[in-house]
Amino acid sequence: MVTEDQLTDSPAPATRPPQSRQAPAVRSPDGSPETALRSSEWFAAEGRPGMIYRSWLRAEGFVPEVFDGRPVIGIANSWSELTPCNAHLRGVAESVKRGVWEAGGFPLEFPTMSLGETLMRPTAMLFRNLMAMEVEELLRANPLDGVVLLSGCDKTTPAMLMAAASADLPAIMVTGGPMLNGKFRGGDVGSGTHVWKFEAELTAGRMTQAECVIAESGMARSCGHCMTMGTASTMACMAETLGMQLPGSAAWPGADSRRQLTAMQAGQRAVTLAREKVRPSQIMTREAFENAVRVNAAIGGSTNAVIHLLAIAGRLGVPLKLDEFDELARPVPTLVNLMPSGKFLMEDFCYAGGIPAVMAELGDLLHTDHVSVTGATLAENIEGAQCWNRDVIRTVDEPLQPPGSGTAVLRGNLCPGGAVIKQSAASPHLLRHRGRALVFDSIEEYHEAAVRPELDADESSVLVVRGAGPRGYPGMPEVGNFVLPKKLLERGVTDMVRISDARMSGTGYGTVVLHVAPEATVGGPLALVRTGDWISLDVPARSLTVEVSDEELASRRADWTPPPSVHQRGYARLYTEHVLQADQGADLDFLVGSSGSAVPRDNH
Ligand code: FES
């Protein structure tokens, strides 16, 4: 057991002053060293243009000295009362500002689009690319030399990293931290993970609605994002692993004073990054992504990280393929014992040592010479990191799950573009399974059928839901771990093989095959499966096949017609016309790549 003294003695990597390292030489497009700050294009201008830029900002009460050539640091804040996980970020921004002022910068906070996972319909994922596009354009259009990115809820972190990658402006991220552990009836409950458990209990008649209402308040006890190893916690850990946020900071709870401390340090560090012109493209390298894929396997991270990392890499031109999430992770055991794969929650993970302790345990499996926003190498950043609770962070020699048990990438005639399954959250006895398909064309159709007592299904059936991919739904909702049929739940069945072109919440669990590509709506083989077909899942062999001949599939394809698009205008039309498939990160095709941070033309 970890003691209070041990906690106090912890080296707490985030509290160490960031070390500075000579930034790689930055060159202008003409090859000359780049020296002037970007903001000087606005504020150092003489005559009318400079006066306009400075005067209107002084309406906010700033002294003239803020225009003396100091770095202007934007604080991109995804605060919103409609995003409960990010609702405390205005307080975090105040700490960032303190750090920026203290380091000699000029902080300017601005609001960004925010994506509340629980409230937005049809799914927050539909808007990830819109937020990324908005933040990218805000960074480029404004007189900023650097930016602190404040994120938290699932999609806000990848959206901001995608934006920072494409604008390639010096940037550092501060995620809002997880909620404190949920509590119900004397035990820990995890946000998300226990929602699925309680739903199954309610459906089976083992829990009442009144009990669910009591449970829901105990599940969200403080500010912060989901405290399981769901997508938000995973992406916070990925931001830290990629080197974009300070060491150790992903796990500090939102309510912990050290969240504010880390925010102040990030503000300080942003000023140095802006002065040294250290850009995200210098931090998020191929080595950084390899580290991220491996750490994701070690923490039992969300399957959504696959899509988000592919999208971020796409913005940077870093070569990263879907199959590498399997290949790179094969030597990596699952070390972190957190829900949904394990038992504990993010608060426990934080006190056990967080990401630095995981990285120290992985050792040579990582590129330890990778340089992060601290200016130090990974080896330097995690020096002295220790694990304070081996129940929470296991050793490589005694892991939670053996090497190769992370996210597996499947191939076969049902998913020529690939599909994924989170092995650590699946039932071992179902990882090799053959069963008859029961096919539904939408999640709504399934939900309607799943409560009928006459549904022709048993525990060996393979449940297939299609029409929930990036283009089909649209937005690829988190419905892949759909609740089992009522009559089977009542019989005590706890898991079945489920296959879809949807995603799953990072807090979800079960033997669920996700991200089937190409999706059914664009004519992937998933569109051709019929109820009664035999489907064979063999995760150890990484295969997913429908036992139907090529000739029969070709005949079915000849009869198949694509569903008509129902989105005639607005963002939904733009999205459905341009979204890429899951194996390519589900970004919009015209957003892949980077436009850099060159100063746009002056209009004054
Ligand atoms: Fe925001 Fe889970 S709902 S992180």
Side-chain angles (χ1 to χ4, degrees):
M1 269 299 284
V2 63
T3 67
E4 196 61 34
D5 281 344
Q6 283 173 313
L7 278 176
T8 314
D9 289 345
S10 167
T15 65
R16 291 183 303 164
Q19 300 172 48
S20 191
R21 175 177 293 259
Q22 189 63 44
V26 176
R27 303 264 157 192
S28 297
D30 66 1
S32 61
E34 200 179 298
T35 52
L37 286 171
R38 188 174 180 273
S39 61
S40 67
E41 295 269 349
W42 281 262
F43 301 131
E46 294 185 345
R48 179 175 53 86
M51 178 180 285
I52 289 171
Y53 296 130
R54 293 186 299 270
S55 175
W56 265 257
L57 256 181
R58 291 192 63 189
E60 295 180 34
F62 294 118
V63 295
E65 286 75 21
V66 297
F67 305 115
D68 63 3
R70 67 187 73 190
V72 179
I73 305 299
I75 302 171
N77 198 343
S78 56
W79 166 86
S80 168
E81 288 183 345
L82 287 168
T83 307
C85 307
N86 296 22
H88 62 303
L89 290 182
R90 293 186 93 183
V92 175
E94 291 306 313
S95 296
V96 173
K97 278 182 207 169
R98 261 192 260 162
V100 174
W101 284 121
E102 192 272 339
F106 175 23
L108 288 169
E109 181 187 357
F110 61 95
T112 70
M113 186 177 183
S114 192
L115 307 176
E117 191 66 30
T118 50
L119 299 178
M120 294 188 85
R121 293 184 176 187
T123 165
M125 181 63 177
L126 175 63
F127 307 105
R128 181 202 64 178
N129 300 337
L130 181 61
M131 180 176 174
M133 185 160 64
E134 185 228 38
V135 176
E136 175 190 344
E137 297 304 334
L138 285 173
L139 298 185
R140 188 175 300 110
N142 282 295
L144 303 175
D145 300 304
V147 65
V148 181
L149 307 162
L150 300 189
S151 67
C153 197
D154 286 17
K155 309 299 174 293
T156 57
T157 296
M160 283 186 154
L161 289 175
M162 290 159 73
S166 287
D168 211 20
L169 193 73
I172 186 168
M173 175 160 268
V174 179
T175 51
M179 288 187 267
L180 298 173
N181 284 7
K183 296 288 179 186
F184 179 59
R185 292 178 173 165
D188 281 349
V189 291
S191 41
T193 300
H194 271 82
V195 170
W196 320 123
K197 289 190 198 293
F198 293 151
E199 183 188 27
E201 293 293 288
L202 189 66
T203 307
R206 291 189 288 267
M207 200 170 171
T208 67
Q209 179 59 33
E211 289 170 323
C212 280
V213 172
I214 296 169
E216 73 192 24
S217 63
M219 208 159 47
R221 295 171 50 229
S222 76
C223 64
H225 56 69
C226 290
M227 85 305 266
T228 45
M229 189 52 83
T231 305
S233 299
T234 300
M235 290 311 298
C237 294
M238 292 298 93
E240 183 176 328
T241 306
L242 286 169
M244 290 297 290
Q245 73 167 335
L246 293 174
S249 64
W252 295 123
D256 195 305
S257 61
R258 288 164 288 189
R259 173 63 46 200
Q260 303 295 336
L261 180 148
T262 221
M264 183 166 171
Q265 287 181 323
Q268 292 171 326
R269 188 64 199 161
V271 176
T272 306
L273 291 171
R275 285 203 173 106
E276 296 181 349
K277 296 188 172 65
V278 180
R279 299 176 186 280
S281 57
Q282 295 165 282
I283 306 288
M284 292 191 280
T285 59
R286 165 76 191 184
E287 290 70 28
F289 281 94
E290 290 186 9
N291 284 348
V293 170
R294 288 189 159 153
V295 168
N296 188 47
I299 63 176
S302 165
T303 45
N304 288 316
V306 176
I307 293 182
H308 297 320
L309 288 172
L310 286 170
I312 299 164
R315 296 299 186 97
L316 293 153
V318 169
L320 186 65
K321 298 273 178 261
L322 175 65
D323 294 284
E324 290 182 290
F325 283 81
D326 198 326
E327 293 159 14
L328 288 166
R330 289 231 180 181
V332 181
T334 306
L335 302 180
V336 176
N337 188 8
L338 253 61
M339 296 180 205
S341 303
K343 178 177 165 197
F344 296 98
L345 294 166
M346 283 298 283
E347 200 181 336
D348 309 304
F349 181 53
C350 174
Y351 304 150
I355 286 294
V358 174
M359 288 177 152
E361 188 60 31
L362 291 177
D364 290 343
L365 284 168
L366 302 177
H367 297 284
T368 53
D369 55 351
H370 171 249
V371 177
S372 80
V373 285
T374 62
T377 64
L378 191 159
E380 291 165 333
N381 283 333
I382 65 172
E383 191 186 337
Q386 292 186 49
C387 174
W388 302 103
N389 189 336
R390 280 295 174 204
D391 286 339
V392 179
I393 302 174
R394 303 281 182 84
T395 62
V396 167
D397 293 333
E398 289 183 75
L400 184 70
Q401 306 261 9
S405 57
T407 297
V409 176
L410 309 174
R411 295 277 175 180
N413 68 350
L414 196 47
C415 55
V420 304
I421 182 169
K422 185 173 180 176
Q423 299 178 87
S424 59
S427 300
H429 73 281
L430 289 174
L431 292 177
R432 271 203 182 98
H433 181 79
R434 185 170 175 267
R436 282 198 182 275
L438 194 54
V439 182
F440 302 89
D441 284 325
S442 70
I443 189 65
E444 292 80 9
E445 185 185 317
Y446 171 75
H447 283 150
E448 208 175 292
V451 293
R452 288 203 208 116
E454 70 274 16
L455 183 74
D456 186 15
D458 59 31
E459 55 264 57
S460 71
S461 302
V462 173
L463 302 170
V464 176
V465 167
R466 59 193 174 199
R471 191 180 298 181
Y473 198 69
M476 207 181 177
E478 294 181 339
V479 297
N481 58 325
F482 41 90
V483 70
L484 302 184
K486 186 167 187 281
K487 72 174 193 182
L488 297 178
L489 282 172
E490 287 168 342
R491 222 185 280 162
V493 176
T494 55
D495 197 8
M496 291 168 68
V497 172
R498 285 158 277 177
I499 299 172
S500 75
D501 43 17
R503 294 176 302 118
M504 168 175 84
S505 164
T507 63
Y509 58 90
T511 311
V512 287
V513 177
L514 307 156
H515 309 183
V516 170
E519 64 177 300
T521 303
V522 301
L526 194 65
L528 310 177
V529 179
R530 292 179 182 168
T531 290
D533 287 346
W534 285 95
I535 289 181
S536 177
L537 170 69
D538 188 341
V539 177
R542 301 297 193 259
S543 81
L544 177 68
T545 52
V546 55
E547 297 175 13
V548 174
S549 68
D550 291 347
E551 295 73 28
E552 172 61 16
L553 285 176
S555 154
R556 292 183 189 181
R557 179 168 299 288
D559 291 339
W560 181 80
T561 48
S565 174
V566 295
H567 303 285
Q568 298 304 318
R569 66 168 301 281
Y571 175 69
R573 177 173 171 175
L574 183 76
Y575 178 90
T576 51
E577 287 179 355
H578 292 279
V579 69
L580 298 168
Q581 290 296 290
D583 59 318
Q584 297 167 288
D587 202 356
L588 301 185
D589 53 11
F590 61 86
L591 289 176
V592 173
S594 164
S595 299
S597 61
V599 175
R601 289 169 68 178
D602 182 8
N603 70 334
H604 294 295

